[in-house]
Amino acid sequence: MKRKTLDSAPWIWRTISTVSILATLLLLFGFGYAIKDVIYPEGDSALGTGQSTKTPADEASKPAAPVDDGKIRIAVIGDSLARGTGDDEGLGFVRRAGNILKEQGHDVQVLNNLGVNGLRTDALLSKLDEQGVRYVLQQSNFILLSIGANDLFQGGQVLQGEDPPSAEKLAAVLPETSKRLQEILKKVKEINPEAQIAYIGLYNPFGDVKELEVPGNAVVAAWNDAALQILNQEDKMTLVPTFDLFENHLGEYLSSDHFHPNGAGYEEIAVRIAQEYQAETTAEGSTN
């Protein structure tokens, strides 16, 4: 019995070694695939044909080629709202807007989601220099942008402070952040001058918090006004208003973190995005 155990030991170690080597190769393959997905992003096949978006290194530096095949190629960039944080179904406003436009008869493809949790305007400016980001934006003809809430409300952390910020303190960040928003929109336009760009306006997630209702409404209104003035200076740029959607429905449309929308909130934003797209394309067609 003892001899049989000793004879089987080498086989046990060989099996363990083989499994370890296979596991290591699998991990290396997964790591390589993840790196490839970041450097060479591909389209989201859930809402389109799954057409591959090849990204040779020198392609990102070239001007965007006009896309005129009738397909809506959506790219989304910005903060956690762009990413869809808070949506239990994981769709966010971009996938939901894509579904609505598809139901209306459009051929829709959602490209890679470039949203990053906690992103602020200064970080987004740097992100727009990344090769993969520029390439995705160049491949789109409808760009959704969400940014600014983390600059104004520190990603919802203002609720955790002992002393709620005053209107003056909230408004103090407006000049610099609105200037950076202008730089962001200008850079996006330079990356893809042919795309329709829709900026998602801000809502006040603290409108039902007594100390933050008035200062929050004031700073969000000032931010949205500044954004609208910037957008009105350029063709193919529009503001998707959300303040009125959430103003009296915070309990219905906010997720449990009291900052991000839930699925119903994202759906309302998506409906408004689809409406803005239809209005802009109709107006553009009437001028041709």
Side-chain angles (χ1 to χ4, degrees):
M1 184 69 179
K2 184 176 179 180
R3 180 180 178 78
K4 183 176 181 180
T5 302
L6 290 174
D7 290 344
S8 62
W11 289 102
I12 293 174
W13 284 112
R14 288 173 188 167
T15 302
I16 293 175
S17 299
T18 302
V19 170
S20 299
I21 291 171
L22 290 175
T24 301
L25 291 174
L26 183 61
L27 286 173
L28 289 173
F29 176 78
F31 179 75
Y33 188 84
I35 293 296
K36 172 182 173 294
D37 190 49
V38 171
I39 299 176
Y40 303 108
E42 296 183 351
D44 183 346
S45 59
L47 274 171
T49 61
Q51 177 183 350
S52 175
T53 54
K54 297 179 181 177
T55 58
D58 58 346
E59 287 295 321
S61 60
K62 295 180 180 179
V67 177
D68 192 21
D69 60 357
K71 178 181 290 186
I72 304 174
R73 295 182 173 85
I74 305 177
V76 58
I77 189 168
D79 53 24
S80 51
L81 268 74
R83 192 165 186 79
T85 301
D87 188 340
D88 290 339
E89 297 182 56
L91 301 175
F93 60 67
V94 59
R95 295 285 294 276
R96 292 176 182 276
N99 287 334
I100 292 170
L101 290 168
K102 192 174 182 181
E103 290 170 359
Q104 293 173 351
H106 296 282
D107 188 2
V108 181
Q109 181 183 10
V110 177
L111 305 180
N112 280 29
N113 190 319
L114 302 175
V116 177
N117 289 337
L119 198 71
R120 302 188 184 194
T121 50
D122 53 348
L124 179 54
L125 266 175
S126 300
K127 194 171 184 61
L128 289 173
D129 293 327
E130 295 177 11
Q131 177 181 306
V133 170
R134 295 174 68 87
Y135 185 79
V136 171
L137 295 181
Q138 287 175 350
Q139 296 307 301
S140 69
N141 54 15
F142 187 31
I143 298 173
L144 303 178
L145 169 64
S146 174
I147 198 69
N150 292 315
D151 295 78
L152 299 189
F153 296 118
Q154 295 88 52
Q157 295 178 9
V158 294
L159 271 182
Q160 301 174 9
E162 294 182 0
D163 297 320
S166 63
E168 291 75 15
K169 185 176 181 180
L170 288 175
V173 302
L174 276 176
E176 286 300 317
T177 51
S178 59
K179 180 182 177 182
R180 284 197 290 271
L181 176 63
Q182 186 170 21
E183 295 174 6
I184 288 167
L185 290 167
K186 180 181 178 182
K187 187 174 281 190
V188 173
K189 186 79 172 180
E190 289 174 352
I191 294 171
N192 189 341
E194 302 299 327
Q196 180 69 36
I197 301 169
Y199 172 70
I200 312 303
L202 300 188
Y203 58 87
N204 179 15
F206 309 121
D208 56 353
V209 178
K210 182 179 178 181
E211 295 83 358
L212 290 172
E213 179 181 3
V214 173
N217 285 346
V219 74
V220 168
W223 171 271
N224 286 336
D225 286 344
L228 189 59
Q229 291 181 25
I230 297 169
L231 294 161
N232 284 340
Q233 296 173 13
E234 300 286 348
D235 293 333
K236 296 185 176 182
M237 287 191 184
T238 186
L239 174 76
V240 178
T242 64
F243 184 90
D244 61 310
L245 293 177
F246 287 78
E247 186 177 13
N248 297 312
H249 303 280
L250 292 175
E252 185 179 356
Y253 294 152
L254 284 186
S255 64
S256 58
D257 66 8
H258 207 281
F259 187 71
H260 299 97
N262 56 21
Y266 279 115
E267 184 69 19
E268 291 296 318
I269 298 175
V271 170
R272 185 87 32 110
I273 290 171
Q275 291 171 344
E276 291 291 333
Y277 178 83
Q278 294 286 19
E280 288 298 318
T281 52
T282 300
E284 185 176 330
S286 65
T287 59
N288 293 334

